[in-house]
């Protein structure tokens, strides 16, 4: 069997997927939820409710604040307690909607969740035009659930002059410790394939590729069986290599084409969506459900769990009784340290990592000019150089060295024998450079 992969760079961190094989457990609806209006890349959503309003499960409580934005819906029925500030895991303030349920609300929600009937008939689904499917996805507030949280409907509307040829489903789950996508494929393979079919119809393509790393044989088998009756969709087995799930790396591995520097992925004819996003699309089109929850992995080094958690759930309630030094949201390569878990679950929360092995960094030492970071970089950059330029605040030089092309995968920091915080410096510099690039573009238009 041929294993597909990208050509340049990459690393092989320990997988530590101890939650693999653990069935997904549905967490109960909380009594109260906190719903930040910014759970996606782009403009924050705008609240459409106020204190004292009563809402039902699935109601929109915040509407998209621009073209690149996404609606927010409530997973519980209840009363809006307030629209106020909440704190992100890093302590930053964000506007949020606080909703609290009573006993009658919870009874109504239990009845609604027990109704598993399909809301659209097969004939209605077969008659849906591409725009109608995109509108359903937009109304459901669906975003990329692999972590980037880019609004899904925007990806399905490429700029004029661009044409999609293939929808690639990112099921690589190359990040160590995470197994939520793996288990979703094992348990919901047929529903995922239906979601992929909707994405293909929305994009107007006849080919779909579900790309899965070779360390998930059960998921590969389940998805292959589910695709047997879905013309145009294939499962492509990928080599286990990080960051296989990077959008640009995945496109290269699947199509052999490279996304041009500064260009969009659609330039290669590919639209990439996460496998959990495809499942959310199935639920939106077939069941009429907006995105109200998501599956995440909790990994503490000794054990792991895969949980389906309602959005707005306070994360600390998921780890009660667990001892840990440090919490990372996401995986060890691209995850961010949380200063607090007294913060709400959002659409992009794919994991909570509590493993002590990732709690501390080695003390940084002087660069030894070994070039390991250059060999590991999947974008062909020189991380040692652009991190130094960023540290010295030489933003123009950093731009010339294409710091904006960095995907912040962390491969350079992982492989560095001197434990240099390369990606940290690069992330700061990239933000500065991209802000300057946007300002120049805006000035050129005015």
């Amino acid at each position: 069997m041929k294993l597909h992969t990208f050509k340049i760079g990459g690393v092989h961190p320990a997988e530590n997927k101890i939650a693999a094989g653990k069935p997904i457990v549905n967490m109960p609806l909380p009594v109260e939820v906190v719903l930040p209006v910014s759970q996606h890349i782009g403009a924050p959503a705008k609240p459409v409710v106020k204190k004292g309003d009563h809402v039902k499960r699935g109601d929109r409580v915040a509407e998209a604040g621009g073209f690149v934005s996404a609606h927010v819906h409530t997973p519980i029925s209840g009363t809006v307690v307030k629209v106020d500030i909440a704190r992100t895991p890093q302590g930053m303030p964000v506007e949020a909607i606080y909703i609290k349920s009573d006993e009658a609300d919870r009874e109504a929600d239990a009845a609604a969740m027990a109704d598993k009937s399909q809301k659209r008939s097969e004939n209605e689904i077969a008659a849906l035009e591409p725009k109608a499917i995109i509108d359903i996805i937009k109304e459901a507030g669906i975003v990329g659930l692999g972590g980037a949280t880019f609004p899904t409907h925007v990806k399905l509307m490429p700029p004029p002059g661009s044409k999609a040829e293939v929808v690639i489903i990112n099921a690589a789950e190359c990040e160590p410790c995470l197994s939520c996508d793996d288990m979703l494929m094992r348990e919901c393979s047929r529903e995922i394939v239906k979601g992929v079919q909707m994405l293909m119809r929305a994009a107007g393509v006849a080919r779909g590729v579900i790309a899965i790393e070779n360390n998930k044989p059960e998921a590969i088998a389940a998805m292959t069986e589910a695709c047997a009756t879905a013309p145009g969709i294939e499962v492509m087995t990928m080599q286990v290599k990080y960051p296989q799930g990077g959008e640009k790396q995945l496109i290269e591995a699947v199509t052999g084409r490279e996304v041009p520097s500064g260009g969009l992925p659609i330039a290669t004819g590919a639209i990439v969506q996460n496998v959990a996003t495809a499942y959310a699309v199935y639920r939106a089109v077939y069941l009429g459900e907006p995105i109200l929850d998501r599956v995440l992995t909790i990994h503490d080094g000794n054990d792991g769990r895969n949980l389906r958690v309602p959005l707005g759930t306070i994360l600390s309630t998921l780890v009660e009784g667990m001892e840990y030094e440090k919490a990372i949201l996401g995986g060890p390569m691209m995850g961010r340290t949380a200063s607090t878990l007294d913060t709400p679950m959002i659409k992009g929360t794919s994991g909570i990592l509590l493993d002590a092995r990732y709690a501390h960094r080695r003390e940084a030492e002087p660069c030894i000019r070994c070039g390991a970071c250059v060999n590991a970089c999947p974008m062909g950059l020189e991380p040692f150089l652009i991190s130094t330029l960023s540290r010295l605040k030489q933003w123009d030089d950093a731009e010339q060295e294409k710091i904006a092309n960095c995907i912040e995968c962390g491969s350079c920091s992982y492989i560095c024998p001197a434990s240099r915080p390369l990606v940290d410096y690069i992330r700061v510099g990239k933000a500065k450079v991209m802000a300057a690039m946007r300002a120049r573009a805006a000035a050129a238009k005015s």
Side-chain angles (χ1 to χ4, degrees):
M1 178 192 301
K2 180 181 179 181
L3 300 180
H4 298 258
T5 191
F6 55 97
K7 297 176 182 177
I8 299 175
V11 294
H12 295 85
E15 295 173 20
N16 291 331
K17 292 181 179 287
I18 58 178
K22 300 289 183 67
I24 297 171
V25 176
N26 294 321
M27 297 300 291
L29 294 179
V31 172
E32 185 173 2
V33 295
V34 180
L35 301 170
V37 298
S38 185
Q39 301 191 33
H40 49 268
I41 286 178
K46 299 177 180 179
V48 294
V49 294
K50 62 184 184 302
K51 180 180 178 179
D53 287 350
H54 189 270
V55 295
K56 295 181 180 179
R57 172 179 165 83
D59 281 355
R60 185 197 304 175
V61 294
E63 64 182 10
F67 177 64
V68 182
S69 188
H71 302 321
V72 178
H73 303 78
T74 174
I76 65 171
S77 300
T79 301
V80 177
V81 177
K82 59 181 177 178
V83 178
D84 203 350
I85 296 299
R87 294 286 171 177
T88 70
Q90 288 73 41
M92 300 298 292
V94 60
E95 188 175 28
I97 299 161
Y98 292 69
I99 300 170
K100 189 172 185 178
S101 63
D102 59 22
E103 186 174 348
D105 294 321
R106 290 188 285 278
E107 289 178 358
D109 288 345
M113 294 176 69
D115 180 9
K116 304 294 185 182
S117 61
Q118 190 169 306
K119 298 302 185 291
R120 290 184 175 89
S121 70
E122 293 294 342
N123 288 337
E124 288 174 323
I125 292 169
L128 289 172
E129 296 292 332
K131 184 181 183 304
I133 297 172
I134 293 173
D135 287 344
I136 291 169
I137 290 170
K138 179 180 179 180
E139 288 304 309
I142 298 173
V143 301
L145 297 179
T149 64
F150 192 86
T152 301
H153 69 277
V154 178
K155 268 195 177 184
L156 294 170
M157 295 187 291
S162 302
K163 180 174 175 54
E165 299 173 12
V166 59
V167 168
I168 300 173
I169 301 301
N170 182 358
E173 198 168 44
C174 60
E175 181 81 48
C177 304
L178 302 185
S179 298
C180 45
D181 286 351
D182 182 3
M183 294 312 300
L184 190 63
M185 287 187 283
R186 297 195 207 186
E187 296 186 10
C188 304
S189 57
R190 297 190 182 282
E191 292 85 352
I192 290 169
V193 169
K194 289 181 179 180
V196 176
Q197 290 175 318
M198 293 299 103
L199 288 167
M200 290 169 61
R201 283 174 53 188
V205 303
R207 185 188 180 205
V209 176
I210 302 172
I212 312 175
E213 280 196 332
N214 196 40
N215 59 355
K216 304 173 184 64
E218 296 86 355
I220 291 171
M223 295 306 301
T224 300
E225 181 181 354
C227 289
T229 56
I233 304 178
E234 63 177 298
V235 173
M236 185 175 288
T237 307
M238 318 300 289
Q239 181 181 324
V240 178
K241 183 169 70 169
Y242 181 86
Q244 191 75 259
E247 186 172 40
K248 295 178 180 180
Q249 285 66 43
L250 198 62
I251 289 172
E252 180 189 343
V254 171
T255 69
R257 302 172 183 173
E258 293 185 14
V259 178
S261 177
L264 297 173
I266 191 62
T268 66
I271 292 176
V272 180
Q273 300 286 357
N274 179 264
V275 67
T277 304
Y279 178 66
V281 169
Y282 156 77
R283 291 174 65 176
V285 175
Y286 282 76
L287 307 181
E289 290 184 359
I291 182 166
L292 303 176
D293 57 43
R294 68 155 296 151
V295 181
L296 85 164
T297 299
I298 296 180
H299 173 112
D300 70 358
N302 299 312
D303 197 5
R305 295 179 290 162
N306 298 298
L307 309 177
R308 181 174 282 108
V309 183
L311 301 178
T313 300
I314 300 302
L315 295 179
S316 59
T317 63
L318 304 177
V319 299
E320 287 180 350
M322 302 174 71
E323 296 183 1
Y324 57 93
E325 296 180 58
K326 178 180 179 181
I328 297 172
L329 296 188
M333 297 298 288
M334 293 190 73
R336 300 288 184 93
T337 298
S339 59
T340 178
L341 289 182
D342 291 324
T343 186
M345 168 87 172
I346 60 174
K347 297 175 185 180
T349 310
S350 59
I352 305 176
L353 178 61
L354 308 174
D355 193 333
R357 286 173 291 185
Y358 304 106
H360 303 285
R361 294 184 179 184
R362 287 177 49 215
E363 185 175 348
E365 300 173 4
C367 175
I368 62 173
R369 302 295 192 271
C370 66
C373 61
V374 177
N375 292 333
C377 180
M379 294 302 296
L381 303 175
E382 296 181 296
F384 74 92
L385 175 59
I386 57 177
S387 67
T388 298
L389 294 173
S390 180
R391 178 170 58 84
L392 297 176
K393 300 182 180 180
Q394 296 179 5
W395 313 128
D396 291 342
D397 291 338
E399 182 177 351
Q400 289 298 315
E401 295 298 330
K402 300 189 182 302
I403 193 173
N405 285 358
C406 174
I407 62 172
E408 303 178 32
C409 67
S411 294
C412 56
S413 294
Y414 170 80
I415 206 69
C416 178
S419 302
R420 306 287 294 172
L422 301 173
V423 74
D424 295 349
Y425 284 123
I426 292 171
R427 186 177 286 130
V428 172
K430 179 182 173 182
K432 291 283 187 181
V433 167
M434 293 192 72
M437 293 169 66
R438 288 192 295 268
R440 288 200 304 269
K445 290 181 179 179
S446 61

